[in-house]
Amino acid sequence: MAVRTRKAIASPDLASVSGITPLSAASGILGVRVFDVGQGDAIAILAKVGDTEQVALQLDYGGRERNPFTTSADVDTRMPVSQNRLLMLTHWDEDHWSSAPKGSQAKGAKWVVPRQVTSPRAVRFSASLNDIHCIPEKHVGQTIRFTAGNGDYIVAEKIGSFPGAFAKNEDCNKSGVALAIVHRSSDGDEAILLPGDAPFDKVAPFVSLEKQGVKLRAIIAFHHGAGTHWTASTDTLLQNWSRAPILDVVFSCSRPNSYSHPDDGRYKALLPGANFHMTADLRTNAAVSRDILF
């Protein structure tokens, strides 16, 4: 197999992770908005700020194969990103950032990204951004937490180091960032998992949340519902995880696609009774996104 040409993201590190404050004005977390971007991921974390709903953090801004965008303005209209909003990237595979150079708004965001060895095209795009910083390597494997006024919180982890074992022909899925959002409640805390392309059982905060008894409210299926990297540990984690009264599973992918995503039968066998959604189905009703709320 030929080795791909790979280069390293050269953006500077964050001076301090504590300087990231996506929930500083939020009284609570409402849930997530999952955008139809075709094959790829783009997710907004929704928060309550005063009496309004606002996007606290944009997670990924992708969409490549069979995306719904016809013009650059269409990208901005369907997935608005205000100036200086925090935009966090799970990893540098193109289907997680490729809509940003097509529009204009996302390029004005504050980007927080993993340092990875990736494609020259991704490196060129990263160099075009005015406000982009990498998560310092000292935080690899550690939980980063952001908390809202009512105790709701976001947890994030960079799960692999740079350059790491996969540097020469790196699999960015194994060294990216995974997140979860947690809603605190007297009836039991609930979580929505936002793994990017990382397998659920490889994300330490996910394993910790299950052990703490936090109920599973929703899953954005990792790697667009792919069956790759799925292990017996993945099965065990999901089977043992206590569920909220409503469980939603979202597959963010196009129909059709060249990757045979999703492997939805695996999820349906493990999670009977859950509600299953595919972002591609939104176009039937001319919808732009699906909200999953606590």
Side-chain angles (χ1 to χ4, degrees):
M1 180 185 296
V3 175
R4 295 172 291 176
T5 300
R6 309 293 270 173
K7 294 186 177 181
I9 298 296
S11 306
D13 278 353
L14 282 167
S16 172
V17 168
S18 63
I20 308 173
T21 56
L23 298 176
S24 60
S27 60
I29 300 175
L30 299 174
V32 297
R33 177 166 294 149
V34 186
F35 294 96
D36 169 24
V37 292
Q39 189 68 20
D41 267 352
I43 301 163
I45 295 177
L46 306 175
K48 185 175 182 181
V49 179
D51 294 327
T52 67
E53 172 192 281
Q54 295 187 18
V55 175
L57 183 152
Q58 176 70 36
L59 182 65
D60 290 337
Y61 204 81
R64 193 176 178 190
E65 185 177 341
R66 297 184 181 273
N67 70 66
F69 311 119
T70 56
T71 65
S72 60
D74 197 26
V75 177
D76 295 334
T77 299
R78 295 174 68 93
M79 299 191 297
V81 179
S82 60
Q83 186 74 18
N84 297 321
R85 177 180 297 162
L86 183 63
L87 197 159
M88 184 174 285
L89 201 64
T90 59
H91 64 293
W92 279 103
D93 283 352
E94 193 159 339
D95 58 338
H96 290 256
W97 60 266
S98 58
S99 291
K102 297 173 184 173
S104 61
Q105 294 179 358
K107 288 179 282 190
K110 294 180 178 293
W111 288 65
V112 175
V113 303
R115 190 180 303 283
Q116 294 184 305
V117 175
T118 182
S119 70
R121 186 163 48 240
V123 173
R124 288 194 297 271
F125 170 68
S126 68
S128 74
L129 297 171
N130 292 326
D131 193 345
I132 179 171
H133 291 83
C134 293
I135 298 170
E137 287 298 294
K138 66 181 181 181
H139 293 287
V140 171
Q142 299 183 10
T143 299
I144 302 167
R145 181 163 169 158
F146 315 111
T147 306
N150 68 348
D152 292 352
Y153 59 94
I154 301 170
V155 287
E157 179 195 18
K158 186 175 188 291
I159 60 176
S161 60
F162 168 87
F166 303 96
K168 188 173 182 180
N169 200 23
E170 184 173 3
D171 181 346
C172 288
N173 304 334
K174 299 178 181 179
S175 61
V177 181
L179 295 85
I181 60 174
V182 179
H183 173 61
R184 307 299 302 273
S185 169
S186 58
D187 296 327
D189 298 352
E190 297 182 1
I192 299 176
L193 308 186
L194 309 171
D197 284 1
F200 302 122
D201 60 295
K202 300 301 183 184
V203 185
F206 292 3
V207 176
S208 178
L209 290 172
E210 187 275 324
K211 290 180 178 178
Q212 293 170 40
V214 176
K215 297 176 182 178
L216 195 57
R217 166 65 186 89
I219 294 170
I220 310 303
F222 77 85
H223 207 173
H224 321 288
T228 53
H229 304 314
W230 195 285
T231 67
S233 296
T234 314
D235 284 351
T236 299
L237 180 67
L238 294 183
Q239 286 175 331
N240 291 343
W241 206 315
S242 60
R243 290 164 54 168
I246 298 173
L247 174 60
D248 288 294
V249 179
V250 181
F251 302 106
S252 184
C253 56
S254 64
R255 182 186 285 125
N257 61 74
S258 58
Y259 307 97
S260 299
H261 296 161
D263 187 356
D264 56 346
R266 188 186 297 268
Y267 284 85
K268 290 176 179 177
L270 276 174
L271 302 169
N275 304 310
F276 295 91
H277 315 279
M278 186 179 291
T279 53
D281 293 337
L282 292 168
R283 297 187 205 182
T284 302
N285 299 314
V288 171
S289 60
R290 176 179 292 280
D291 288 358
I292 304 293
L293 305 176
F294 291 113

